[in-house]
PDB file of all heavy atoms in Angstrom:
ATOM      1  N   ALA A   1       0.779  -1.239  -0.016  1.00 96.00           N
ATOM      2  CA  ALA A   1      -0.008  -0.019  -0.004  1.00 96.00           C
ATOM      3  C   ALA A   1       0.854   1.255  -0.002  1.00 96.00           C
ATOM      4  O   ALA A   1       0.611   2.196  -0.686  1.00 96.00           O
ATOM      5  CB  ALA A   1      -0.943   0.003   1.225  1.00 96.00           C
ATOM      6  N   LYS A   2       1.892   1.243   0.772  1.00 93.00           N
ATOM      7  CA  LYS A   2       2.848   2.428   0.759  1.00 93.00           C
ATOM      8  C   LYS A   2       3.630   2.695  -0.540  1.00 93.00           C
ATOM      9  O   LYS A   2       3.758   3.784  -0.969  1.00 93.00           O
ATOM     10  CB  LYS A   2       3.755   2.285   1.992  1.00 93.00           C
ATOM     11  CG  LYS A   2       3.056   2.349   3.283  1.00 93.00           C
ATOM     12  CD  LYS A   2       4.023   2.347   4.493  1.00 93.00           C
ATOM     13  CE  LYS A   2       3.277   2.427   5.825  1.00 93.00           C
ATOM     14  NZ  LYS A   2       2.495   3.672   5.971  1.00 93.00           N
ATOM     15  N   GLU A   3       3.920   1.526  -1.104  1.00 93.00           N
ATOM     16  CA  GLU A   3       4.641   1.628  -2.384  1.00 93.00           C
ATOM     17  C   GLU A   3       3.755   2.154  -3.474  1.00 93.00           C
ATOM     18  O   GLU A   3       4.104   2.870  -4.443  1.00 93.00           O
ATOM     19  CB  GLU A   3       5.132   0.271  -2.829  1.00 93.00           C
ATOM     20  CG  GLU A   3       6.345  -0.184  -1.902  1.00 93.00           C
ATOM     21  CD  GLU A   3       6.830  -1.564  -2.323  1.00 93.00           C
ATOM     22  OE1 GLU A   3       6.323  -2.105  -3.327  1.00 93.00           O
ATOM     23  OE2 GLU A   3       7.766  -2.123  -1.653  1.00 93.00           O
ATOM     24  N   SER A   4       2.467   1.775  -3.473  1.00 93.00           N
ATOM     25  CA  SER A   4       1.473   2.236  -4.478  1.00 93.00           C
ATOM     26  C   SER A   4       0.602   3.417  -4.106  1.00 93.00           C
ATOM     27  O   SER A   4      -0.280   3.797  -4.812  1.00 93.00           O
ATOM     28  CB  SER A   4       0.595   1.010  -4.840  1.00 93.00           C
ATOM     29  OG  SER A   4      -0.180   0.637  -3.718  1.00 93.00           O
ATOM     30  N   ASP A   5       0.904   4.026  -2.928  1.00 92.00           N
ATOM     31  CA  ASP A   5       0.142   5.124  -2.424  1.00 92.00           C
ATOM     32  C   ASP A   5      -1.388   4.863  -2.346  1.00 92.00           C
ATOM     33  O   ASP A   5      -2.212   5.706  -2.540  1.00 92.00           O
ATOM     34  CB  ASP A   5       0.325   6.416  -3.361  1.00 92.00           C
ATOM     35  CG  ASP A   5       1.668   7.112  -3.089  1.00 92.00           C
ATOM     36  OD1 ASP A   5       2.228   6.907  -2.000  1.00 92.00           O
ATOM     37  OD2 ASP A   5       2.075   7.874  -3.960  1.00 92.00           O
ATOM     38  N   ALA A   6      -1.659   3.674  -1.889  1.00 95.00           N
ATOM     39  CA  ALA A   6      -3.093   3.274  -1.504  1.00 95.00           C
ATOM     40  C   ALA A   6      -3.397   3.459  -0.128  1.00 95.00           C
ATOM     41  O   ALA A   6      -2.574   3.124   0.783  1.00 95.00           O
ATOM     42  CB  ALA A   6      -3.293   1.834  -2.052  1.00 95.00           C
ATOM     43  N   THR A   7      -4.562   3.821   0.214  1.00 96.00           N
ATOM     44  CA  THR A   7      -5.084   3.804   1.560  1.00 96.00           C
ATOM     45  C   THR A   7      -5.639   2.471   1.901  1.00 96.00           C
ATOM     46  O   THR A   7      -6.551   2.045   1.265  1.00 96.00           O
ATOM     47  CB  THR A   7      -6.186   4.919   1.772  1.00 96.00           C
ATOM     48  OG1 THR A   7      -5.622   6.227   1.357  1.00 96.00           O
ATOM     49  CG2 THR A   7      -6.632   4.924   3.177  1.00 96.00           C
ATOM     50  N   LEU A   8      -4.994   1.872   2.894  1.00 97.00           N
ATOM     51  CA  LEU A   8      -5.355   0.454   3.298  1.00 97.00           C
ATOM     52  C   LEU A   8      -6.087   0.421   4.572  1.00 97.00           C
ATOM     53  O   LEU A   8      -5.686   0.974   5.527  1.00 97.00           O
ATOM     54  CB  LEU A   8      -4.152  -0.378   3.403  1.00 97.00           C
ATOM     55  CG  LEU A   8      -4.302  -1.893   3.848  1.00 97.00           C
ATOM     56  CD1 LEU A   8      -5.117  -2.674   2.911  1.00 97.00           C
ATOM     57  CD2 LEU A   8      -2.976  -2.528   4.099  1.00 97.00           C
ATOM     58  N   VAL A   9      -7.362  -0.088   4.559  1.00 97.00           N
ATOM     59  CA  VAL A   9      -8.238  -0.182   5.770  1.00 97.00           C
ATOM     60  C   VAL A   9      -8.420  -1.677   6.088  1.00 97.00           C
ATOM     61  O   VAL A   9      -8.934  -2.384   5.258  1.00 97.00           O
ATOM     62  CB  VAL A   9      -9.556   0.518   5.580  1.00 97.00           C
ATOM     63  CG1 VAL A   9     -10.407   0.475   6.850  1.00 97.00           C
ATOM     64  CG2 VAL A   9      -9.358   1.921   5.140  1.00 97.00           C
ATOM     65  N   LEU A  10      -7.971  -1.974   7.281  1.00 96.00           N
ATOM     66  CA  LEU A  10      -8.047  -3.404   7.764  1.00 96.00           C
ATOM     67  C   LEU A  10      -9.211  -3.428   8.877  1.00 96.00           C
ATOM     68  O   LEU A  10      -9.170  -2.735   9.741  1.00 96.00           O
ATOM     69  CB  LEU A  10      -6.824  -3.899   8.368  1.00 96.00           C
ATOM     70  CG  LEU A  10      -5.524  -3.790   7.496  1.00 96.00           C
ATOM     71  CD1 LEU A  10      -4.290  -4.087   8.324  1.00 96.00           C
ATOM     72  CD2 LEU A  10      -5.656  -4.720   6.274  1.00 96.00           C
ATOM     73  N   ILE A  11     -10.106  -4.394   8.750  1.00 95.00           N
ATOM     74  CA  ILE A  11     -11.125  -4.545   9.681  1.00 95.00           C
ATOM     75  C   ILE A  11     -10.678  -5.601  10.661  1.00 95.00           C
ATOM     76  O   ILE A  11     -10.224  -6.685  10.319  1.00 95.00           O
ATOM     77  CB  ILE A  11     -12.494  -4.984   9.045  1.00 95.00           C
ATOM     78  CG1 ILE A  11     -13.106  -3.877   8.181  1.00 95.00           C
ATOM     79  CG2 ILE A  11     -13.530  -5.399  10.107  1.00 95.00           C
ATOM     80  CD1 ILE A  11     -14.397  -4.157   7.501  1.00 95.00           C
ATOM     81  N   GLY A  12     -10.776  -5.300  11.950  1.00 90.00           N
ATOM     82  CA  GLY A  12     -10.395  -6.187  13.053  1.00 90.00           C
ATOM     83  C   GLY A  12     -11.560  -6.477  14.015  1.00 90.00           C
ATOM     84  O   GLY A  12     -12.519  -5.758  14.127  1.00 90.00           O
ATOM     85  N   HIS A  13     -11.462  -7.634  14.722  1.00 81.00           N
ATOM     86  CA  HIS A  13     -12.542  -8.052  15.644  1.00 81.00           C
ATOM     87  C   HIS A  13     -12.226  -7.477  16.987  1.00 81.00           C
ATOM     88  O   HIS A  13     -11.092  -7.150  17.359  1.00 81.00           O
ATOM     89  CB  HIS A  13     -12.658  -9.544  15.656  1.00 81.00           C
ATOM     90  CG  HIS A  13     -13.115 -10.131  14.329  1.00 81.00           C
ATOM     91  ND1 HIS A  13     -14.172  -9.749  13.622  1.00 81.00           N
ATOM     92  CD2 HIS A  13     -12.529 -11.050  13.535  1.00 81.00           C
ATOM     93  CE1 HIS A  13     -14.291 -10.326  12.473  1.00 81.00           C
ATOM     94  NE2 HIS A  13     -13.367 -11.250  12.428  1.00 81.00           N
ATOM     95  N   ILE A  14     -13.232  -7.512  17.854  1.00 77.00           N
ATOM     96  CA  ILE A  14     -13.233  -7.130  19.245  1.00 77.00           C
ATOM     97  C   ILE A  14     -13.397  -8.421  20.129  1.00 77.00           C
ATOM     98  O   ILE A  14     -14.378  -9.239  19.810  1.00 77.00           O
ATOM     99  CB  ILE A  14     -14.233  -6.069  19.589  1.00 77.00           C
ATOM    100  CG1 ILE A  14     -13.813  -4.729  18.957  1.00 77.00           C
ATOM    101  CG2 ILE A  14     -14.322  -5.913  21.110  1.00 77.00           C
ATOM    102  CD1 ILE A  14     -12.603  -4.085  19.585  1.00 77.00           C
ATOM    103  N   THR A  15     -12.605  -8.638  21.076  1.00 70.00           N
ATOM    104  CA  THR A  15     -12.733  -9.800  21.955  1.00 70.00           C
ATOM    105  C   THR A  15     -13.777  -9.547  23.029  1.00 70.00           C
ATOM    106  O   THR A  15     -14.390  -8.495  23.090  1.00 70.00           O
ATOM    107  CB  THR A  15     -11.441 -10.143  22.653  1.00 70.00           C
ATOM    108  OG1 THR A  15     -11.092  -8.990  23.580  1.00 70.00           O
ATOM    109  CG2 THR A  15     -10.310 -10.391  21.707  1.00 70.00           C
ATOM    110  N   LYS A  16     -14.153 -10.581  23.782  1.00 63.00           N
ATOM    111  CA  LYS A  16     -15.198 -10.450  24.841  1.00 63.00           C
ATOM    112  C   LYS A  16     -14.709  -9.436  25.920  1.00 63.00           C
ATOM    113  O   LYS A  16     -15.616  -8.855  26.505  1.00 63.00           O
ATOM    114  CB  LYS A  16     -15.424 -11.754  25.468  1.00 63.00           C
ATOM    115  CG  LYS A  16     -16.039 -12.874  24.517  1.00 63.00           C
ATOM    116  CD  LYS A  16     -16.339 -14.201  25.247  1.00 63.00           C
ATOM    117  CE  LYS A  16     -16.944 -15.162  24.337  1.00 63.00           C
ATOM    118  NZ  LYS A  16     -17.245 -16.518  24.990  1.00 63.00           N
ATOM    119  N   GLN A  17     -13.512  -9.246  26.081  1.00 63.00           N
ATOM    120  CA  GLN A  17     -12.910  -8.337  27.053  1.00 63.00           C
ATOM    121  C   GLN A  17     -12.987  -6.900  26.540  1.00 63.00           C
ATOM    122  O   GLN A  17     -12.595  -5.947  27.319  1.00 63.00           O
ATOM    123  CB  GLN A  17     -11.569  -8.693  27.502  1.00 63.00           C
ATOM    124  CG  GLN A  17     -11.426 -10.031  28.257  1.00 63.00           C
ATOM    125  CD  GLN A  17     -11.618 -11.266  27.425  1.00 63.00           C
ATOM    126  OE1 GLN A  17     -11.296 -11.228  26.228  1.00 63.00           O
ATOM    127  NE2 GLN A  17     -12.099 -12.324  28.018  1.00 63.00           N
ATOM    128  N   GLY A  18     -13.315  -6.713  25.222  1.00 62.00           N
ATOM    129  CA  GLY A  18     -13.412  -5.338  24.716  1.00 62.00           C
ATOM    130  C   GLY A  18     -12.153  -4.864  24.016  1.00 62.00           C
ATOM    131  O   GLY A  18     -12.138  -3.750  23.680  1.00 62.00           O
ATOM    132  N   SER A  19     -11.072  -5.765  23.931  1.00 68.00           N
ATOM    133  CA  SER A  19      -9.832  -5.301  23.301  1.00 68.00           C
ATOM    134  C   SER A  19      -9.843  -5.848  21.827  1.00 68.00           C
ATOM    135  O   SER A  19     -10.626  -6.682  21.502  1.00 68.00           O
ATOM    136  CB  SER A  19      -8.662  -5.893  24.091  1.00 68.00           C
ATOM    137  OG  SER A  19      -8.680  -7.272  24.103  1.00 68.00           O
ATOM    138  N   ILE A  20      -8.953  -5.259  21.078  1.00 69.00           N
ATOM    139  CA  ILE A  20      -8.894  -5.695  19.683  1.00 69.00           C
ATOM    140  C   ILE A  20      -8.217  -7.050  19.525  1.00 69.00           C
ATOM    141  O   ILE A  20      -7.220  -7.280  20.143  1.00 69.00           O
ATOM    142  CB  ILE A  20      -8.088  -4.626  18.844  1.00 69.00           C
ATOM    143  CG1 ILE A  20      -8.626  -3.245  18.942  1.00 69.00           C
ATOM    144  CG2 ILE A  20      -7.936  -5.022  17.385  1.00 69.00           C
ATOM    145  CD1 ILE A  20      -7.909  -2.170  18.251  1.00 69.00           C
ATOM    146  N   ALA A  21      -8.896  -7.959  18.794  1.00 62.00           N
ATOM    147  CA  ALA A  21      -8.499  -9.337  18.665  1.00 62.00           C
ATOM    148  C   ALA A  21      -7.234  -9.349  17.904  1.00 62.00           C
ATOM    149  O   ALA A  21      -6.947  -8.491  17.042  1.00 62.00           O
ATOM    150  CB  ALA A  21      -9.599 -10.207  18.082  1.00 62.00           C
ATOM    151  N   GLY A  22      -6.506 -10.462  18.024  1.00 65.00           N
ATOM    152  CA  GLY A  22      -5.225 -10.642  17.276  1.00 65.00           C
ATOM    153  C   GLY A  22      -4.081 -10.150  17.948  1.00 65.00           C
ATOM    154  O   GLY A  22      -4.142  -9.603  19.114  1.00 65.00           O
ATOM    155  N   PRO A  23      -2.850 -10.254  17.409  1.00 63.00           N
ATOM    156  CA  PRO A  23      -1.568  -9.820  18.209  1.00 63.00           C
ATOM    157  C   PRO A  23      -1.640  -8.341  18.288  1.00 63.00           C
ATOM    158  O   PRO A  23      -2.034  -7.618  17.495  1.00 63.00           O
ATOM    159  CB  PRO A  23      -0.488 -10.320  17.178  1.00 63.00           C
ATOM    160  CG  PRO A  23      -1.170 -10.452  15.832  1.00 63.00           C
ATOM    161  CD  PRO A  23      -2.607 -10.859  16.109  1.00 63.00           C
ATOM    162  N   LYS A  24      -1.113  -7.906  19.489  1.00 73.00           N
ATOM    163  CA  LYS A  24      -1.089  -6.471  19.760  1.00 73.00           C
ATOM    164  C   LYS A  24      -0.184  -5.772  18.761  1.00 73.00           C
ATOM    165  O   LYS A  24      -0.249  -4.585  18.598  1.00 73.00           O
ATOM    166  CB  LYS A  24      -0.536  -6.300  21.184  1.00 73.00           C
ATOM    167  CG  LYS A  24      -0.663  -4.878  21.775  1.00 73.00           C
ATOM    168  CD  LYS A  24      -2.077  -4.529  22.081  1.00 73.00           C
ATOM    169  CE  LYS A  24      -2.196  -3.172  22.785  1.00 73.00           C
ATOM    170  NZ  LYS A  24      -3.594  -2.773  23.036  1.00 73.00           N
ATOM    171  N   VAL A  25       0.764  -6.530  18.097  1.00 77.00           N
ATOM    172  CA  VAL A  25       1.706  -5.904  17.165  1.00 77.00           C
ATOM    173  C   VAL A  25       1.068  -5.195  16.069  1.00 77.00           C
ATOM    174  O   VAL A  25       1.606  -4.264  15.408  1.00 77.00           O
ATOM    175  CB  VAL A  25       2.725  -6.845  16.732  1.00 77.00           C
ATOM    176  CG1 VAL A  25       2.090  -7.933  15.800  1.00 77.00           C
ATOM    177  CG2 VAL A  25       3.884  -6.300  16.051  1.00 77.00           C
ATOM    178  N   ILE A  26      -0.242  -5.628  15.692  1.00 88.00           N
ATOM    179  CA  ILE A  26      -0.889  -5.000  14.575  1.00 88.00           C
ATOM    180  C   ILE A  26      -1.075  -3.497  14.792  1.00 88.00           C
ATOM    181  O   ILE A  26      -0.949  -2.673  13.924  1.00 88.00           O
ATOM    182  CB  ILE A  26      -2.196  -5.661  14.271  1.00 88.00           C
ATOM    183  CG1 ILE A  26      -1.967  -7.101  13.823  1.00 88.00           C
ATOM    184  CG2 ILE A  26      -3.053  -4.968  13.247  1.00 88.00           C
ATOM    185  CD1 ILE A  26      -3.259  -7.808  13.478  1.00 88.00           C
ATOM    186  N   GLU A  27      -1.458  -3.163  16.025  1.00 89.00           N
ATOM    187  CA  GLU A  27      -1.753  -1.780  16.450  1.00 89.00           C
ATOM    188  C   GLU A  27      -0.443  -0.940  16.298  1.00 89.00           C
ATOM    189  O   GLU A  27      -0.577   0.306  16.071  1.00 89.00           O
ATOM    190  CB  GLU A  27      -2.329  -1.720  17.786  1.00 89.00           C
ATOM    191  CG  GLU A  27      -3.666  -2.383  18.040  1.00 89.00           C
ATOM    192  CD  GLU A  27      -4.243  -2.203  19.325  1.00 89.00           C
ATOM    193  OE1 GLU A  27      -4.399  -1.062  19.862  1.00 89.00           O
ATOM    194  OE2 GLU A  27      -4.530  -3.157  19.987  1.00 89.00           O
ATOM    195  N   HIS A  28       0.626  -1.486  16.391  1.00 90.00           N
ATOM    196  CA  HIS A  28       1.963  -0.760  16.315  1.00 90.00           C
ATOM    197  C   HIS A  28       2.345  -0.677  14.829  1.00 90.00           C
ATOM    198  O   HIS A  28       3.062   0.211  14.454  1.00 90.00           O
ATOM    199  CB  HIS A  28       3.064  -1.429  17.034  1.00 90.00           C
ATOM    200  CG  HIS A  28       2.830  -1.511  18.529  1.00 90.00           C
ATOM    201  ND1 HIS A  28       2.914  -0.404  19.373  1.00 90.00           N
ATOM    202  CD2 HIS A  28       2.453  -2.532  19.355  1.00 90.00           C
ATOM    203  CE1 HIS A  28       2.578  -0.782  20.549  1.00 90.00           C
ATOM    204  NE2 HIS A  28       2.374  -2.087  20.566  1.00 90.00           N
ATOM    205  N   MET A  29       1.828  -1.586  13.991  1.00 93.00           N
ATOM    206  CA  MET A  29       2.153  -1.618  12.531  1.00 93.00           C
ATOM    207  C   MET A  29       1.414  -0.647  11.748  1.00 93.00           C
ATOM    208  O   MET A  29       1.879  -0.203  10.612  1.00 93.00           O
ATOM    209  CB  MET A  29       2.102  -3.011  11.967  1.00 93.00           C
ATOM    210  CG  MET A  29       2.964  -4.007  12.643  1.00 93.00           C
ATOM    211  SD  MET A  29       2.631  -5.779  12.103  1.00 93.00           S
ATOM    212  CE  MET A  29       2.994  -5.665  10.356  1.00 93.00           C
ATOM    213  N   VAL A  30       0.191  -0.329  12.194  1.00 95.00           N
ATOM    214  CA  VAL A  30      -0.748   0.641  11.392  1.00 95.00           C
ATOM    215  C   VAL A  30      -0.500   2.048  11.748  1.00 95.00           C
ATOM    216  O   VAL A  30       0.122   2.334  12.888  1.00 95.00           O
ATOM    217  CB  VAL A  30      -2.154   0.182  11.644  1.00 95.00           C
ATOM    218  CG1 VAL A  30      -2.452  -1.273  11.184  1.00 95.00           C
ATOM    219  CG2 VAL A  30      -2.541   0.394  13.078  1.00 95.00           C
ATOM    220  N   ASP A  31      -0.984   2.954  10.947  1.00 95.00           N
ATOM    221  CA  ASP A  31      -0.793   4.380  11.209  1.00 95.00           C
ATOM    222  C   ASP A  31      -1.982   4.875  12.019  1.00 95.00           C
ATOM    223  O   ASP A  31      -1.807   5.882  12.749  1.00 95.00           O
ATOM    224  CB  ASP A  31      -0.790   5.155   9.875  1.00 95.00           C
ATOM    225  CG  ASP A  31       0.397   4.721   9.018  1.00 95.00           C
ATOM    226  OD1 ASP A  31       1.543   4.724   9.540  1.00 95.00           O
ATOM    227  OD2 ASP A  31       0.200   4.426   7.820  1.00 95.00           O
ATOM    228  N   ALA A  32      -3.061   4.251  12.003  1.00 96.00           N
ATOM    229  CA  ALA A  32      -4.296   4.742  12.725  1.00 96.00           C
ATOM    230  C   ALA A  32      -5.109   3.618  13.172  1.00 96.00           C
ATOM    231  O   ALA A  32      -5.200   2.542  12.434  1.00 96.00           O
ATOM    232  CB  ALA A  32      -5.066   5.732  11.945  1.00 96.00           C
ATOM    233  N   THR A  33      -5.629   3.774  14.399  1.00 95.00           N
ATOM    234  CA  THR A  33      -6.567   2.689  14.951  1.00 95.00           C
ATOM    235  C   THR A  33      -7.875   3.354  15.293  1.00 95.00           C
ATOM    236  O   THR A  33      -7.857   4.242  16.103  1.00 95.00           O
ATOM    237  CB  THR A  33      -5.975   2.032  16.182  1.00 95.00           C
ATOM    238  OG1 THR A  33      -4.769   1.354  15.778  1.00 95.00           O
ATOM    239  CG2 THR A  33      -6.988   0.936  16.702  1.00 95.00           C
ATOM    240  N   LEU A  34      -8.966   2.981  14.602  1.00 95.00           N
ATOM    241  CA  LEU A  34     -10.293   3.492  14.867  1.00 95.00           C
ATOM    242  C   LEU A  34     -11.153   2.400  15.557  1.00 95.00           C
ATOM    243  O   LEU A  34     -11.037   1.223  15.134  1.00 95.00           O
ATOM    244  CB  LEU A  34     -10.932   4.028  13.610  1.00 95.00           C
ATOM    245  CG  LEU A  34     -10.143   5.054  12.778  1.00 95.00           C
ATOM    246  CD1 LEU A  34     -11.033   5.506  11.610  1.00 95.00           C
ATOM    247  CD2 LEU A  34      -9.668   6.240  13.572  1.00 95.00           C
ATOM    248  N   VAL A  35     -12.009   2.814  16.438  1.00 93.00           N
ATOM    249  CA  VAL A  35     -12.974   1.813  17.108  1.00 93.00           C
ATOM    250  C   VAL A  35     -14.377   2.337  16.882  1.00 93.00           C
ATOM    251  O   VAL A  35     -14.610   3.519  17.158  1.00 93.00           O
ATOM    252  CB  VAL A  35     -12.617   1.686  18.577  1.00 93.00           C
ATOM    253  CG1 VAL A  35     -13.624   0.758  19.170  1.00 93.00           C
ATOM    254  CG2 VAL A  35     -11.136   1.138  18.770  1.00 93.00           C
TER     255      VAL A  35
END
């Protein structure tokens, strides 16, 4: 996406505890996190 100047939007799930599912590292890899 950065090489082609595309805006990339990834949809993520929410766990029962209310946190974003999947490895926490994803939140550090992206430029913005919206809930």
